[in-house]
Amino acid sequence: MDEQGLIGGRVHRLRIERGLTQRQLAEPAYTPAYISTLESGRVRPSEAALRFLAERLGTSYEELATGRPPHLATELRLALTDAQRALATGAADEAAARYRRLLADAELLDLTPERAEALLGLGDCALESGELACATAHFEAAERLLADEPLPRRARPIRGRAVAHLLAGELRYACYLLESTIDELNAGGLGDPEALVLLYAAAIGPYIDMGAHARAARAAELALALAPHVQDPALVAGMHRQVARTFLAEGRVADADASLAKAQTVYRQLRMRTDLAHCHWMRGYVQAQNGELNAAEVELRTAREMLSAKRAALYTAQVEVELADVLRRLGRHDEAAGLLSAVLELGDSHGAVHAGGAHRLLGLIAEERGEVESAEEHYVQALALLERSGATGDLADLCRLLGDLLRRTGRIEAALDAYRTGLGHRASPGTTTLGPAPKGLTAAPPRAG
């Protein structure tokens, strides 16, 4: 049966249950003949007609139009906010189990926005657990569901795909996804602060790994400038969730939905705390490059605390590599080595670039302690990891370190081979890998209201 036939059947059933004649249902706005035609499925009712009939029948417009009681959709949205909170504060596998159940419910109820939200949640869970292929598949599915929505609504799945490609070592494609979306947002006058913060912050990682440090610093600056325009208090989100429960218990579905919409927005922003931590991370990195080691330590510890508080083990491990570099340069070798050993216990799940960075730093520490064999071993392991990732700037630097070590120990031919390898990877940071700076990498002013 087609949709108008289903609607007509629902109108007929509810009219009979309430003991109404077609004339009693129709008047004063419509005729009995119209009700007869509608119930037989020969006419498609307008929204205005359905709203009139829903009021006369004592039901909701949504239930009459879809056959779905409105409280089911509201309860599903409430459960999605719970799953978002579980992911923000707990283990990814527990949150993923919730999202899978909610995705099945949303598909059964044919609720497209809720299906997309569940898929985004599953993508985020897969990112945190390191299941990058699954994460990409979930984000792509969510983006397909949102294909007809404005670009700011699609920023989350695009950002998710970019992060998955970044963690898989596909740095250039990650940059392309983020930059092209930023360009389109700004060119179309769609400079939504939340969408831009998501995208700018996500761009920082690949920029750093590819040696585009000035570009990364600019992205961090823009993200931090926009952050005050994005309200992010977890306490307010909790309040909205509890208020929504109260409204739902009282049968105030519309009010519950309004509170849930606010809560969901805030929990999406809670997910952004990871991205804002990346901004602190980048500021610490830039300060370290300028020799401001004490200030850099403060920024990197702030980033680490924000990340570890969310149990984001993958990102926490990465920022610990940068912190260990600062600690080594401050002469606190034992503390730095302890951090790096913990990072390497995670294996390659935290990405080849930072695993290679950890081995490079451990090699430097070993050299400074006079442990030449250990230093060489770490450099060789770092070289294998970084060649896989394509992080050209890091590769050139590592080959120089390894070549210097081999030369000092009298292995001149081996040293020359290392130097030649480094020359093959040498690049001007931020130019040969990415091309000109993207014209859209500027912040559009926040929209009013």
Side-chain angles (χ1 to χ4, degrees):
M1 186 180 295
D2 60 17
E3 183 179 353
Q4 62 193 47
L6 292 172
I7 292 174
R10 283 192 287 272
V11 171
H12 176 77
R13 176 178 55 80
L14 291 169
R15 180 177 63 78
I16 298 301
E17 287 177 0
R18 284 149 177 76
L20 297 174
T21 66
Q22 290 181 338
R23 180 176 300 278
Q24 289 170 326
L25 176 60
E27 293 179 344
Y30 299 93
T31 65
Y34 175 75
I35 299 301
S36 176
T37 305
L38 189 157
E39 288 184 348
S40 63
R42 297 197 301 272
V43 66
R44 182 183 183 87
S46 66
E47 180 180 339
L50 279 182
R51 291 192 182 280
F52 170 83
L53 295 173
E55 184 177 356
R56 297 282 288 166
L57 292 166
T59 188
S60 68
Y61 164 78
E62 181 180 16
E63 185 168 5
L64 194 60
T66 67
R68 183 174 58 237
H71 70 85
L72 293 179
T74 302
E75 288 171 356
L76 181 57
R77 295 180 194 118
L78 178 60
L80 281 167
T81 65
D82 287 337
Q84 289 167 346
R85 187 173 187 277
L87 177 57
T89 60
D93 56 348
E94 296 173 7
R98 293 193 188 194
Y99 277 121
R100 281 191 289 271
R101 291 194 296 269
L102 295 172
L103 177 61
D105 291 343
E107 289 173 342
L108 185 64
L109 295 172
D110 195 25
L111 293 169
T112 297
E114 287 70 26
R115 286 174 62 197
E117 193 68 31
L119 285 166
L120 287 168
L122 284 169
D124 286 336
C125 291
L127 280 183
E128 296 220 356
S129 61
E131 302 170 64
L132 302 183
C134 288
T136 300
H138 291 314
F139 289 129
E140 287 176 344
E143 195 173 354
R144 285 193 296 271
L145 284 175
L146 299 172
D148 295 329
E149 295 290 327
L151 184 56
R153 281 279 289 127
R154 290 180 275 126
R156 286 180 64 208
I158 293 170
R159 176 258 186 197
R161 286 202 293 129
V163 172
H165 285 291
L166 166 64
L167 296 177
E170 298 160 358
L171 309 184
R172 296 184 188 184
Y173 189 64
C175 287
Y176 164 76
L177 283 176
L178 297 166
E179 291 172 354
S180 59
T181 307
I182 290 170
D183 281 347
E184 189 177 347
L185 277 169
N186 287 326
L190 300 173
D192 179 86
E194 180 177 329
L196 286 172
V197 169
L198 279 171
L199 298 169
Y200 285 135
I204 293 170
Y207 282 155
I208 293 176
D209 291 344
M210 299 182 77
H213 302 146
R215 216 171 298 192
R218 179 60 174 158
E221 177 186 344
L222 293 169
L224 289 170
L226 286 167
H229 301 286
V230 181
Q231 300 301 313
D232 181 23
L235 184 61
V236 172
M239 179 271 293
H240 282 306
R241 288 176 61 248
Q242 297 308 317
V243 168
R245 291 181 190 279
T246 301
F247 285 152
L248 194 60
E250 294 174 350
R252 297 166 60 185
V253 174
D255 291 335
D257 269 339
S259 283
L260 285 172
K262 294 176 183 176
Q264 284 181 309
T265 296
V266 173
Y267 281 129
R268 282 196 296 270
Q269 293 161 359
L270 183 61
R271 295 291 304 143
M272 289 167 57
R273 289 180 67 84
T274 297
D275 302 307
L276 294 176
H278 276 256
C279 297
H280 286 286
W281 178 359
M282 184 58 213
R283 290 182 68 188
Y285 179 88
V286 171
Q287 288 167 344
Q289 297 305 301
N290 291 334
E292 303 167 34
L293 299 182
N294 291 322
E297 182 183 356
V298 171
E299 290 288 350
L300 292 170
R301 287 196 184 279
T302 298
R304 183 186 182 217
E305 288 169 9
M306 291 176 69
L307 293 167
S308 62
K310 284 177 44 55
R311 303 184 187 181
L314 187 149
Y315 295 122
T316 303
Q318 292 180 350
V319 80
E320 284 175 342
V321 174
E322 305 290 351
L323 179 57
D325 185 33
V326 170
L327 294 174
R328 181 192 67 83
R329 292 166 62 188
L330 287 168
R332 292 149 63 183
H333 291 173
D334 289 343
E335 192 176 349
L339 274 178
L340 295 168
S341 297
V343 167
L344 291 177
E345 286 176 5
L346 296 175
D348 288 351
S349 64
H350 53 292
V353 172
H354 286 81
H359 279 295
R360 171 188 173 277
L361 288 173
L362 286 169
L364 283 169
I365 292 171
E367 268 205 88
E368 290 163 0
R369 291 172 169 170
E371 301 167 1
V372 174
E373 290 184 5
S374 177
E376 182 179 345
E377 181 181 338
H378 283 299
Y379 289 153
V380 169
Q381 290 184 65
L383 186 61
L385 288 163
L386 292 175
E387 282 183 325
R388 191 174 75 198
S389 74
T392 56
D394 289 347
L395 270 166
D397 177 65
L398 182 63
C399 289
R400 177 188 59 80
L401 289 173
L402 179 58
D404 289 349
L405 177 65
L406 293 170
R407 179 174 53 81
R408 284 195 298 270
T409 56
R411 289 171 284 173
I412 304 302
E413 286 301 320
L416 287 171
D417 286 341
Y419 290 140
R420 291 188 190 101
T421 301
L423 285 171
H425 293 294
R426 186 129 184 104
S428 177
T431 56
T432 60
T433 51
L434 298 176
K439 62 183 179 181
L441 198 60
T442 56
R447 294 180 297 180

